[in-house]
């Protein structure tokens, strides 16, 4: 029989076990922090009805959808009515609309699952990737105070992920809209087009952007273009500086005043939530592409790795599920695209292959003593120590080599001599150290060692 | 705009938050036990190339496959070359073949992900469901001792899941094959057909099965049919009884002798692994449908709920990945179909909605004290206590009602009076109790309460 080449499609990140462990630890940290802030777990099916998924979106997103058909439907030549979710926001909207009567509002949910996009195969573009989302959904109304809680969660997550200093950057779409209005750029779509140009500031430089804005396509005056460029370059260096810079914008239309009031309240409350001033800042260039953000918007960047871009983004939206329900459901949320983030961090050398989740390998010196090895392993497992026993046998050197390659730290040796003397020999492969311990003390000793290692990270 | 009805397709299990928490706890228990036995995490993409997925399987499984197409591929009328995995075994085979050089053998992996089958919509049939698998894969060879480790893992998992008494039932395909050969039923396919009839024993009764086996379709003698019926009804009541009953089968062809030797070694070692004799038994009716099992086979049943059927099944196979690689990769493994199991247990009233993952709700008595509430919540979270703060405000009674409905146990009240006296009022909604504690003692007090609750399950 001819062999089928074992391979996966481009755009998926499949990991070797020790990398998978590193990835899993990141997932665990995020989940733990989400739960600590009172968010509740939700999972939704990967496959949704196509008409449910595609009510709102169109254009680019729609072209990237993966459609699904069972063998039967395919044979009958039917048009596919199922598709894979491309984000977690549309499924959240469907979930809240469907289960509205059974949920408690404000509804705080987290969801950490994979989403699918039929992207062109390209380095760093993923067709399957994890999103780790939180959202707070209000019924009819949701206080702007929740907008201040989100950065507290972001801070808590990224502090524990320990991937270097980061800054949570904030803006407010109302403020932005109001400021543009005050300059005579009133149309929403026109504002978005201007913002898209302004987004090129870093790559193309100020001259290019100014020329475009004052050129035929936009026809803005030099003065207006200059004001826009000055506006989007506003960054704060402290909480007080942020408040001052907001005041310095001067009076403006209602939207601007609303946005300013919201931003000031949010900035102040973030402080009350215990986020250090060093970790959040005003950044008036942040718009977020999605049309549905209406107030606060967030991006988070690693201070030492700006090229990675935003590692966690989101914002406030006016109405989550207008396509499914007449209920008015305002919300605020963020998303961490963990697959891409992990890939970028690994690429930048910021995360390493993990140690094994296996703590101890019990070697097999003597086949006849297998019951003794199994009993020992049982005790270790009973104490919560992940333990593997060599069942196959073979040379001791080979068993050590296996432990070393597999990243297992402790190797336990229990030969005739040890058994006679009531002791166990432990080899610590990380410290390249070896010690003997009374058989009855083994569990306690290893627990202490492992707890110390865990505490030191 | 007309509303799109918010709905999911039939055959998926979408849970409300407190049920999701109960489900997640089961996943956590399984994962923790898998890791404790030294199994390593692996995740594979949901989407695989169709030719990779469908090399081996055909017939029924193939008809249940979900095929996947991006919008672009669909528009071009291409035949789909992508599909969703329908189990975790085929992706494991592909993974091991693809990464063989980077893995350490024996390779012990666990994988807990969802799989997809285009089943007919029917109560209790799932189109999307979790499988929680472990497998040990050897390079060239794998000692039969690993077959004894699997029941130790099963025991550990289901003991901790705490869903009532269970029995791990074992058989061996070689023993079965050898016994059938000794009765003149030599052809493998014929053996499978006989087994399929024998499987109807419980539903149709012994007379029906005997009549079928001696009828035109099989043409077996009354004596042979009687022996087959007696064989498949063998159950052991203890380890010694199992060994005795294996001996009582009498001498037979090589396959039978091999099977008997393996079973005896496995049964004895399961004991050495610390599994109580009450929790495993010989059951010579177990065959497992899949053709690729070649030695030990397992099923696990709940003693008090036989109607649920096997909750964890698997076995030994000769060669994992012959369709992808020339390497000889024998293995042994099991799978827990957690979605179906959860659904059945809930249906049988054996599991309940979980308590919330949120431990504490900090109420909002007075808007002006919000910073004090946030500081308090920050402290609680810092101590690992999942805490939600009421940010919206509103009547205190409504806040209590929210906590009650959401399943949050502790409600913290911090009014002007409490602040002045340096105390906090805690209402325990589970015990319907209320107490006052010094502000500085709150974290410690709640930690003790929560640890006690966790210890009591």
């Amino acid at each position: 029989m001819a062999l089928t080449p074992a391979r996966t499609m481009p755009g998926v990140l499949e990991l070797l076990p020790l990398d998978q462990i590193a990835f899993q630890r990141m997932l665990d940290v995020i989940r733990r922090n989400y739960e600590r802030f009172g968010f509740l777990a939700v999972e939704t099916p990967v496959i949704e009805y196509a008409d449910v998924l595609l009510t709102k979106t169109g254009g680019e997103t729609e072209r990237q959808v993966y459609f699904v058909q069972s063998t039967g439907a395919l044979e009958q030549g039917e048009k596919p009515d199922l598709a894979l979710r491309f984000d977690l926001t549309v499924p959240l909207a469907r979930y809240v609309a469907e289960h509205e009567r059974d949920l408690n509002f404000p509804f705080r949910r987290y969801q950490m699952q994979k989403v699918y996009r039929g992207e062109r195969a390209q380095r760093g573009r993923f067709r399957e990737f994890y999103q780790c989302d939180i959202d707070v959904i209000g019924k009819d109304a949701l206080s702007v105070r929740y907008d201040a809680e989100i950065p507290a969660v972001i801070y808590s997550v990224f502090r524990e992920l320990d991937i270097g200093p980061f800054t949570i950057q904030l803006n407010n779409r109302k403020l932005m809209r109001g400021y543009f209005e005050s300059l005579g750029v009133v149309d929403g779509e026109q504002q978005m087009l201007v913002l898209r140009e302004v987004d090129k500031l870093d790559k193309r430089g100020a001259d290019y952007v100014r020329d475009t804005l004052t050129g035929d396509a936009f026809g803005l005056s030099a003065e207006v273009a200059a004001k826009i460029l000055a506006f989007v370059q506003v960054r704060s260096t402290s909480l007080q500086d942020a408040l001052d810079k907001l005041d310095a914008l001067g009076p403006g239309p209602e939207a601007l005043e609303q946005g300013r009031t919201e931003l000031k309240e949010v900035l102040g409350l973030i402080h009350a939530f215990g986020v250090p001033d060093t970790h959040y800042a005003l950044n008036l260039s942040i718009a977020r592409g999605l049309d549905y953000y209406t107030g606060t918007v967030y991006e988070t960047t690693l201070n030492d790795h700006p090229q990675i871009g935003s590692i966690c983004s989101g914002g406030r939206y006016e109405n989550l599920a207008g396509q499914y329900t007449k209920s008015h459901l305002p919300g605020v949320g963020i998303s961490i695209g963990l697959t891409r983030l992990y890939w970028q961090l690994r690429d930048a050398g910021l995360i390493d292959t993990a140690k094994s989740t296996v703590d101890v390998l019990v070697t097999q010196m003597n086949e006849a003593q297998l019951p003794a090895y199994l009993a020992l392993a049982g005790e270790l497992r009973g104490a919560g120590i992940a333990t593997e026993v060599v069942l196959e046998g073979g040379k001791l050197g080979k068993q050590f080599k296996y432990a070393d390659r597999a990243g297992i730290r402790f190797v336990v040796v229990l030969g005739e001599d040890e058994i006679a003397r009531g002791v166990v020999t432990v080899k610590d492969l990380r410290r390249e150290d070896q010690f003997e311990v009374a058989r009855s003390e083994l569990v306690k000793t290893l627990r202490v060692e492992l707890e110390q290692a865990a505490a030191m990270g």
Side-chain angles (χ1 to χ4, degrees), chain A:
Chain A
M1 192 178 77
L3 295 179
T4 305
R7 66 209 195 282
T8 53
M9 70 168 178
V12 300
L13 187 69
E14 182 167 86
L15 302 173
L16 289 171
L18 296 189
D19 290 323
Q20 184 66 47
I21 292 168
F23 188 87
Q24 184 64 46
R25 290 214 171 122
M26 295 181 80
L27 277 174
D28 289 344
V29 166
I30 296 171
R31 179 177 145 196
R32 186 161 57 237
N33 279 282
Y34 283 176
E35 289 191 350
R36 204 164 281 171
F37 275 83
F39 290 85
L40 298 170
V42 161
E43 288 199 355
T44 66
V46 164
I47 306 176
E48 297 260 6
Y49 280 120
D51 70 315
V52 169
L53 271 191
L54 301 173
T55 46
K56 221 180 183 178
T57 56
E60 201 180 354
T61 313
E62 187 154 351
R63 280 201 305 279
Q64 294 185 344
V65 168
Y66 278 118
F67 289 94
V68 172
Q69 278 177 301
S70 67
T71 319
L74 199 64
E75 277 165 1
Q76 288 167 33
E78 290 167 10
K79 216 182 147 231
D81 64 346
L82 301 172
L84 301 184
R85 62 171 168 235
F86 49 82
D87 71 7
L88 300 180
T89 303
V90 177
L92 170 66
R94 195 265 309 145
Y95 182 95
V96 174
E98 187 173 344
H99 305 293
E100 196 178 327
R101 258 171 268 171
D102 297 312
L103 301 177
N104 300 301
F105 292 89
F107 176 54
R108 309 159 66 81
R109 87 85 175 78
Y110 76 87
Q111 185 170 359
M112 300 170 56
Q113 293 194 281
K114 286 175 176 170
V115 304
Y116 297 85
R117 293 189 192 167
E119 295 266 6
R120 228 156 26 93
Q122 197 181 334
R123 190 180 140 81
R125 284 273 174 193
F126 293 99
R127 291 172 172 174
E128 173 186 75
F129 56 97
Y130 268 100
Q131 286 198 333
C132 307
D133 284 21
I134 48 171
D135 286 88
V136 186
I137 311 298
K139 185 83 185 271
D140 302 320
L142 184 76
S143 161
V144 75
R145 292 173 191 153
Y146 288 95
D147 298 24
E149 188 181 36
I150 298 288
V153 185
I154 299 174
Y155 172 69
S156 180
V157 165
F158 286 100
R159 188 183 48 167
E160 193 174 338
L161 280 178
D162 198 21
I163 51 175
F166 57 90
T167 305
I168 305 160
Q169 316 206 36
L170 292 102
N171 195 2
N172 186 298
R173 290 290 291 264
K174 289 176 195 159
L175 180 89
M176 219 166 194
R177 187 155 54 82
Y179 191 77
F180 277 64
E181 276 175 22
S182 75
L183 298 179
V185 185
V186 176
D187 179 61
E189 201 149 321
Q190 182 77 348
Q191 290 176 1
M192 285 310 296
L193 290 173
V194 170
L195 285 171
R196 197 171 302 163
E197 290 308 311
V198 165
D199 236 13
K200 298 174 185 165
L201 207 58
D202 285 347
K203 276 186 196 158
R204 303 288 197 98
D207 286 348
Y208 169 88
V209 174
R210 192 180 303 109
D211 288 353
T212 310
L213 293 181
T214 54
D216 287 347
F218 292 94
L220 301 178
S221 72
E223 193 198 354
V224 165
K227 281 192 167 173
I228 288 175
L229 281 176
F231 179 83
V232 299
Q233 287 182 79
V234 169
R235 307 282 184 277
S236 69
T237 55
S238 70
L239 174 56
Q240 192 53 55
D241 183 51
L243 300 175
D244 291 346
K245 281 182 169 145
L246 285 173
D247 284 337
L249 292 175
E254 198 191 332
L256 186 145
E257 297 302 342
Q258 268 187 25
R260 175 155 45 203
T261 306
E262 287 183 11
L263 258 180
K264 282 183 163 183
E265 181 169 359
V266 169
L267 288 165
L269 265 181
I270 295 176
H271 179 80
F273 264 103
V275 181
D277 286 12
T278 45
H279 282 70
Y280 66 107
L282 196 65
N283 178 341
L284 298 190
S285 77
I286 292 173
R288 304 300 308 149
L290 289 165
D291 286 343
Y292 69 90
Y293 291 126
T294 50
T296 314
V297 282
Y298 318 96
E299 289 190 356
T300 303
T301 47
L302 292 173
N303 300 355
D304 302 337
H305 301 273
Q307 81 288 355
I308 286 181
S310 179
I311 57 177
C312 171
S313 313
R316 155 75 66 151
Y317 38 86
E318 194 47 39
N319 194 12
L320 174 71
Q323 68 270 45
Y324 310 120
T325 173
K326 287 181 177 164
S327 299
H328 183 65
L329 302 166
V332 61
I334 44 135
S335 181
I336 302 173
L338 190 64
T339 300
R340 184 153 181 269
L341 176 60
Y342 169 85
W343 181 83
Q344 287 173 314
L345 292 173
R346 199 175 64 170
D347 207 47
L350 290 176
I351 39 171
D352 214 347
T353 288
K355 306 283 178 275
S356 178
T357 38
V358 185
D359 302 313
V360 175
L361 182 75
V362 177
T363 55
Q364 188 182 134
M365 281 278 276
N366 177 349
E367 198 178 321
Q369 293 295 345
L370 198 52
Y373 303 142
L374 296 182
L376 187 67
E379 272 178 50
L380 291 166
R381 288 178 190 132
I385 298 171
T387 304
E388 180 178 340
V389 184
V390 178
L391 295 177
E392 200 85 63
K395 284 185 184 149
L396 202 58
K398 215 180 126 195
Q399 299 180 32
F400 273 96
K401 207 170 156 190
Y402 168 83
D404 192 40
R405 284 191 59 193
I408 303 172
R409 179 169 169 191
F410 293 107
V411 181
V412 164
V413 181
L414 192 62
E416 298 296 337
D417 171 57
E418 278 95 350
I419 291 174
R421 291 191 294 123
V423 298
V424 173
T425 299
V426 179
K427 198 157 175 179
D428 182 339
L429 296 185
R430 195 175 312 166
R431 286 215 203 109
E432 300 183 350
D433 190 14
Q434 179 169 324
F435 57 91
E436 207 176 83
V437 59
R439 171 76 176 71
S440 56
E441 294 291 310
L442 177 67
V443 168
K444 213 175 77 184
T445 306
L446 286 178
R447 266 184 100 150
V448 171
E449 292 277 358
L450 289 165
E451 274 163 17
Q452 279 176 358
M456 287 164 63

